[in-house]
Amino acid sequence: MSGVDVPQPGPSRITDFAGHPLVVAIAPNHPAHLVLTAVSLARAVGAQTLYVAHVDPQRYTLEEFPDGTVRHADIRPDVADDTWKDRARALEDEVGRTLEGSGQDWTFRYLAGRPDRALTHLARAVDAAAIVIGSRRGGAGARAREFLDGSIAANLVHHQHRPVLVVPTRVVDWKDQVWTR
């Protein structure tokens, strides 16, 4: 332990939902209901703006800015790769199509590095009331990444004071399961 007192969640650290934004984390091909759930929550609690963020783990943060944006670079120092700009545009367009006609004020942020740290920085920078994130995707690759890196949602819950809403993105239908003793 470092011996440094870390501020803990408590009444003085609560960010009121009313008038404060929400952060919602997305990945490529995210289900539309993830963003729409965040919009529903924003409406219900009076959150004005939705910050939709994608964190690219293949890039690292060089500088963090007060508005939650970051300057970042590829983790491979010998590669000049600007394809992230195309990914950012595609994600922003996808969110725009999902939110078209919703009346929700939103903005997109392309972040870099560890997802939990990047999302915490953004939430702090914009004084967000909460973070909305999807549950992990299925498959062996997702399980292996979660084993090595830990759950993004769990890391968020344990390393910052804002509430985290985890939206199911893939579920098991238990009604067809055979239970044996």
Side-chain angles (χ1 to χ4, degrees):
M1 293 302 255
S2 66
V4 176
D5 285 335
V6 176
Q8 296 299 311
S12 66
R13 295 184 55 87
I14 293 172
T15 301
D16 192 8
F17 278 92
H20 288 270
L22 298 176
V23 168
V24 59
I26 62 166
N29 302 313
H30 64 276
H33 77 271
L34 171 61
V35 175
L36 294 174
T37 298
V39 169
S40 179
L41 177 61
R43 286 186 183 141
V45 300
Q48 298 299 311
T49 305
L50 193 62
Y51 283 86
V52 180
H54 170 69
V55 184
D56 187 340
Q58 297 302 311
R59 302 189 67 77
Y60 67 96
T61 300
L62 296 168
E63 189 173 4
E64 296 175 330
F65 299 105
D67 67 351
T69 58
V70 298
R71 189 166 63 89
H72 47 83
D74 197 294
I75 60 173
R76 301 163 297 177
D78 56 339
V79 175
D81 182 15
D82 281 345
T83 59
W84 72 269
K85 293 176 183 176
D86 294 332
R87 287 190 300 275
R89 268 190 296 280
L91 284 165
E92 191 169 7
D93 290 347
E94 188 178 343
V95 171
R97 285 189 300 276
T98 300
L99 295 179
E100 189 172 358
S102 71
Q104 177 64 50
D105 182 32
W106 66 280
T107 189
F108 180 75
R109 295 286 192 263
Y110 195 90
L111 306 174
R114 270 187 48 180
D116 58 323
R117 289 184 181 176
L119 294 168
T120 296
H121 163 71
L122 176 59
R124 243 187 233 137
V126 301
D127 199 22
I131 299 171
V132 180
I133 188 168
S135 61
R136 77 168 165 84
R137 295 183 178 197
R143 284 191 296 277
R145 274 190 306 281
E146 188 170 295
F147 176 76
L148 293 172
D149 299 335
S151 160
I152 296 168
N155 286 338
L156 281 167
V157 167
H158 292 294
H159 293 105
Q160 54 85 47
H161 67 275
R162 287 169 179 78
V164 177
L165 173 65
V166 181
V167 177
T169 57
R170 184 175 172 169
V171 297
V172 174
D173 186 0
W174 293 104
K175 74 178 177 102
D176 294 330
Q177 297 295 315
V178 176
W179 296 91
T180 61
R181 288 190 153 221

